[in-house]
Amino acid sequence: MSAGTSHPPAVHVVLGDEELLVERAVRDTLAAARRVDPAVDLTRLKAADLTAPYLLEMISSTLFSEGRVVVLEAAQSVSEEIGKAILDYAKAPSDGVVLVVLHSNSGGTKAGKALPAALRKAGAQITECAKITKPAEREAFVKAEIRRAGGKIDAAAVTALIDAVGSDLRELAMAASQLVADTGGTVTEEAVRRYHRGKAEVNGFAVAEKVVSGDRAAALESLRWALQIGVPHVLIADAIADAVRTIARVSAAGRGNPYSMAGELGMPPWKIRRAQSQARGWSREALAESMAIVARLNADVKGAAADPEYALERAALEIAAARSNR
Amino acid sequence: MSVWRQLVGQEPAVAVLSAAAAGEGMTHSWLFTGPPGSGRTVAARAFAAALQCESRTGCGECAHCRTVMAGTHADVRFVEPEGLSISVAEMRSLVQTAARRPSTGRWQIVIVADADRLTEGASNALLKAVEEPPARTVFLLCAPSDHPEDVMVTIRSRCRVVTLRTPPADAIARVLIERDGIDEERARWAASVCGGHVGRARRLATDEAARSRRAEVLRIPVSLRRPDDVFAFADLLITAAEADAVAESARRDEAEEAELRIAMGGDGTGRGTAGAKRAAEAAVNQLRKRQKSRATRTQRDSIDLALVDLANFYRDVLVYPTGATLTHPDHEDQIRSAAERWSPESTLRRLEAVLECREALQLNVKPRIAVEAMVTALARG
């Protein structure tokens, strides 16, 4: 995204569909073009309802060579004709006109699929804006955001911020720049905690893991958070049931290599390995008791109990009690 | 052959019903109760035939009797839910047709096979009709019992109740021999282990797969040893039930869908077929919903059958010292050794675990969770 050069390239391909990053790339290109010519105007076109002549008209130089940035959205679904027009333009761009091609890099037409590679060959600038899915990538994004806003952040503060804000990049970016402005540059975990509290994303599995680990306080806390942000009761109950039965199943099968046990138990190796380490704190008696508890909980959250939230909390407490009662 | 011959070992009920058909003690709504397999719907159907019969006796020979027993009589409507419940919409339309005058027979008759599967709304829709019935309409409801959980008290109080008993094993064996032509030894065995369920007896006598399934289930209590066994046996119960549901769907789902598409003109091509296609799609989606409900029910019924066998085994272990009649006489050895090994308390706990599991399945608990919890409890004692 370093569009600091004085002359933006004539064709700029933005690959991926992480909205925030795509918008940012477009904005950067526009800014770069405006540095050259402040009167540049921005035109947005949808590839699907575009005709080739209209596109040609938009990207040819005008009589007075006014600068222009043309953004072509959803370029993955271009027709063959328009794809060819874009390629032709990339080979012979006109002065002062910048074409930004937004391409989701998935799906689309045959011509659309071939477009990015062909444009790359023709010398277009490529910016990758793939969806951020891995936690490590998200952490790197937060760090980059803080740096961009002119601040510094440590690893603990990054984790705290993602915990509290969630995984939406737009919100993370806003929180990052706000934090830098509020703290004057150095963002510590303490500073994050001062402005952001709670957990934005807790799913049933996170709750279940806490419940079977025997940490009563953490289990109740994450359960409350999950209920607070509206995770369905049934999902939490199912996740707890699955966690308990996985441990019971794995500990019943005895010790062994997770990879060789995977086929027999019908579970992925990582799940077996985790259950093996979780099983250490469990006696057989406690597991049997917990199996009964989760079966009843399953009925409770499906209408047998007057208050499913109470049923969940009671089950979490009972499982913790069963586990510590070895 | 009289229609009453289909009812096995229910002489007292037959006496009441044939008197009513002849005109003595007739009323507009009846509730047939009795244990599963005692022939509630058979009784209702036979009674309907006797009511329509030309000689009012249920001769089994006249056109009315024969069409009622075949389920094709114009004035007898038979409601048998395949899914999990009978909806209020279904019941409303049924009440409307029930209000018509009989066209060929003496009565307009509505038989509801599983009245315990009426939803609350459906019960209320039916209640209105039962409260103020048209002059020539008769409602015949069938339910396991007249307990308020099965039939709403308001409906119950407006019905005459006919209670069927568990048919004696001798009567079941006789029917299997005479009607189904099964050899005597097997018929006696099937009658002794079926728990008074006539249909189950016939199934066990004729179907090898049903016999081996029962043997597998009854192996569970005595061979639960290693902690691993819990999951192996739970898996056995569940995969068998799932296989049943899949087999049932494979047998019927696709054919039904194809039939519906043809009926709705969904496969048409060319101009003007778009509308028909859309309508067919909507109808097919509805059908799929019904099929899914049916598959769930098949799976649950199949597990339930196994659970009843299991519960009876523990019951046998519990009562063995008293010398009462066993429900699984062919497993007497295992029952005796279990009775010696287990304390009555632990047997009772196991029995309760099985019954709890049946209840949990009714409450929509995931079968795997419920069954695994049950087998764990069985292993624990």
Side-chain angles (χ1 to χ4, degrees):
Chain A
M1 265 173 282
S2 56
T5 47
S6 53
H7 284 280
V11 179
H12 186 173
V13 182
V14 181
L15 274 181
D17 46 8
E18 184 63 65
E19 228 178 296
L20 172 77
L21 300 181
V22 170
E23 266 323 296
R24 216 174 248 179
V26 172
R27 219 166 40 227
D28 286 345
T29 311
L30 183 64
R34 288 217 168 122
R35 269 196 292 279
V36 180
D37 174 5
V40 162
D41 61 333
L42 178 75
T43 317
R44 282 176 177 275
L45 303 171
K46 274 243 187 300
D49 41 45
L50 191 67
T51 59
Y54 184 62
L55 175 69
L56 282 179
E57 186 190 323
M58 290 312 292
I59 56 182
S60 342
S61 330
T62 51
L63 182 59
F64 302 107
S65 300
E66 291 138 339
R68 194 187 273 170
V69 174
V70 179
V71 179
L72 185 65
E73 289 173 0
Q76 66 276 9
S77 52
V78 292
S79 63
E80 204 165 326
E81 196 187 7
I82 294 177
K84 193 167 171 300
I86 296 171
L87 270 183
D88 287 345
Y89 175 76
K91 282 170 197 150
S94 30
D95 218 21
V97 180
V98 180
L99 178 63
V100 184
V101 179
L102 307 189
H103 192 287
S104 75
N105 213 6
S106 64
T109 58
K110 196 174 160 211
K113 270 191 193 121
L115 200 57
L119 285 175
R120 191 193 301 261
K121 222 163 146 195
Q125 184 192 335
I126 308 267
T127 307
E128 300 272 358
C129 302
K131 271 251 185 283
I132 292 186
T133 48
K134 295 196 187 99
E137 285 175 1
R138 205 166 291 132
E139 279 169 23
F141 172 80
V142 171
K143 270 188 208 138
E145 275 310 294
I146 298 273
R147 222 175 299 125
R148 201 178 141 97
K152 279 190 303 194
I153 190 165
D154 56 39
V158 171
T159 322
L161 185 62
I162 293 178
D163 258 3
V165 177
S167 55
D168 187 61
L169 289 195
R170 227 175 262 276
E171 282 181 27
L172 277 175
M174 286 217 308
S177 63
Q178 187 69 48
L179 274 172
V180 171
D182 286 344
T183 58
T186 315
V187 181
T188 57
E189 189 180 350
E190 207 175 302
V192 173
R193 296 254 180 256
R194 189 180 315 141
Y195 297 104
H196 298 274
R197 255 164 214 273
K199 280 197 189 299
E201 286 161 1
V202 185
N203 56 21
F205 299 108
V207 177
E209 199 164 320
K210 293 264 169 31
V211 169
V212 296
S213 72
D215 186 346
R216 191 183 312 234
L220 283 183
E221 189 196 341
S222 63
L223 176 61
R224 279 288 174 90
W225 278 119
L227 293 172
Q228 193 69 36
I229 57 178
V231 182
H233 304 128
V234 176
L235 290 189
I236 303 176
D238 275 359
I240 296 177
D242 186 61
V244 170
R245 81 169 280 271
T246 306
I247 296 176
R249 181 100 220 243
V250 169
S251 66
R255 281 178 199 294
N257 176 8
Y259 290 94
S260 55
M261 287 160 77
E264 189 194 330
L265 297 184
M267 298 177 191
W270 60 264
K271 205 171 172 185
I272 296 177
R273 191 174 310 118
R274 201 181 58 190
Q276 280 175 335
S277 69
Q278 284 170 333
R280 268 176 217 132
W282 285 91
S283 66
R284 188 168 304 158
E285 203 50 22
L287 279 171
E289 211 170 305
S290 298
M291 295 277 284
I293 295 170
V294 295
R296 202 190 52 224
L297 173 65
N298 206 284
D300 282 349
V301 294
K302 286 174 176 168
D307 182 358
E309 299 197 357
Y310 169 71
L312 277 167
E313 268 179 27
R314 189 179 62 167
L317 285 175
E318 282 175 348
I319 292 173
R323 184 182 188 272
S324 57
N325 212 350
R326 330 173 34 187
Chain B
M1 192 175 100
S2 162
V3 289
W4 302 114
R5 290 218 29 204
Q6 303 220 356
L7 264 177
V8 183
Q10 305 290 356
E11 289 75 18
V14 169
V16 170
L17 292 173
S18 45
E24 192 182 323
M26 182 58 194
T27 180
H28 66 279
S29 56
W30 295 73
L31 177 61
F32 294 84
T33 65
S38 56
R40 298 184 298 252
T41 51
V42 179
R45 211 188 269 270
F47 184 43
L51 284 176
Q52 306 283 30
C53 173
E54 273 164 21
S55 60
R56 298 199 178 198
T57 54
C59 59
E61 303 292 335
C62 66
H64 285 297
C65 278
R66 267 192 257 151
T67 48
V68 173
M69 294 317 275
T72 53
H73 196 282
D75 294 323
V76 178
R77 236 151 278 277
F78 192 76
V79 187
E80 183 166 37
E82 289 187 321
L84 295 168
S85 59
I86 306 177
S87 71
V88 58
E90 235 171 302
M91 210 60 227
R92 283 205 184 114
S93 70
L94 188 79
V95 165
Q96 278 201 344
T97 47
R100 294 180 192 154
R101 282 182 63 81
S103 53
T104 61
R106 208 171 293 126
W107 304 89
Q108 178 75 257
I109 301 177
V110 176
I111 305 176
V112 181
D114 290 332
D116 52 316
R117 287 190 189 266
L118 287 166
T119 62
E120 199 187 335
S123 293
N124 282 320
L126 176 64
L127 178 63
K128 282 193 180 173
V130 176
E131 263 177 345
E132 290 173 36
R136 310 235 40 99
T137 301
V138 183
F139 288 95
L140 308 179
L141 313 178
C142 310
S145 73
D146 59 357
H147 189 271
E149 255 181 34
D150 285 336
V151 182
M152 251 177 29
V153 280
T154 39
I155 289 187
R156 155 76 187 80
S157 67
R158 285 157 180 83
C159 292
R160 184 166 171 193
V161 180
V162 177
T163 311
L164 304 179
R165 59 182 187 185
T166 305
D170 279 347
I172 297 177
R174 207 162 46 239
V175 163
L176 290 183
I177 296 165
E178 285 171 14
R179 191 176 56 193
D180 302 306
I182 294 160
D183 64 83
E184 186 170 343
E185 192 189 340
R186 175 159 287 173
R188 295 226 168 272
W189 169 81
S192 70
V193 300
C194 69
H197 194 302
V198 183
R200 175 109 174 104
R202 183 181 311 144
R203 185 90 193 274
L204 282 172
T206 53
D207 185 356
E208 175 61 41
R211 278 197 293 275
S212 67
R213 176 84 60 83
R214 174 174 172 274
E216 266 178 9
V217 169
L218 289 178
R219 209 160 50 85
I220 294 179
V222 284
S223 46
L224 266 174
R225 291 213 179 81
R226 291 178 304 132
D228 231 8
D229 293 342
V230 169
F231 295 96
F233 284 126
D235 206 50
L236 184 100
L237 285 174
I238 292 160
T239 42
E242 274 169 0
D244 279 353
V246 169
E248 171 85 2
S249 320
R251 196 165 61 76
R252 295 175 59 182
D253 284 6
E254 266 182 44
E256 277 177 358
E257 199 179 314
E259 220 168 87
L260 183 66
R261 265 185 211 285
I262 292 170
M264 302 282 294
D267 287 334
T269 50
R271 269 155 59 97
T273 55
K277 257 204 176 97
R278 257 198 310 280
E281 248 357 278
V284 165
N285 280 340
Q286 275 200 337
L287 175 72
R288 286 205 183 122
K289 245 186 230 158
R290 280 205 305 277
Q291 287 172 338
K292 202 170 160 226
S293 166
R294 188 171 71 201
T296 314
R297 180 166 167 192
T298 312
Q299 194 186 343
R300 276 192 204 167
D301 286 357
S302 164
I303 296 182
D304 201 58
L305 208 58
L307 293 184
V308 170
D309 273 346
L310 264 184
N312 280 337
F313 183 90
Y314 289 112
R315 175 255 177 212
D316 283 354
V317 174
L318 202 58
V319 301
Y320 186 78
T322 69
T325 320
L326 299 182
T327 49
H328 296 300
D330 56 338
H331 283 65
E332 200 182 330
D333 292 347
Q334 286 97 313
I335 291 170
R336 187 186 326 112
S337 80
E340 282 160 9
R341 264 183 301 135
W342 302 338
S343 69
E345 289 86 355
S346 83
T347 308
L348 199 57
R349 271 200 297 275
R350 290 184 168 102
L351 178 57
E352 243 154 41
V354 179
L355 298 180
E356 255 169 43
C357 179
R358 285 189 71 193
E359 210 164 294
L361 290 176
Q362 290 269 312
L363 285 170
N364 248 339
V365 173
K366 272 192 184 169
R368 195 169 283 279
I369 294 176
V371 171
E372 279 177 0
M374 176 194 79
V375 185
T376 307
L378 295 185
R380 224 168 136 207

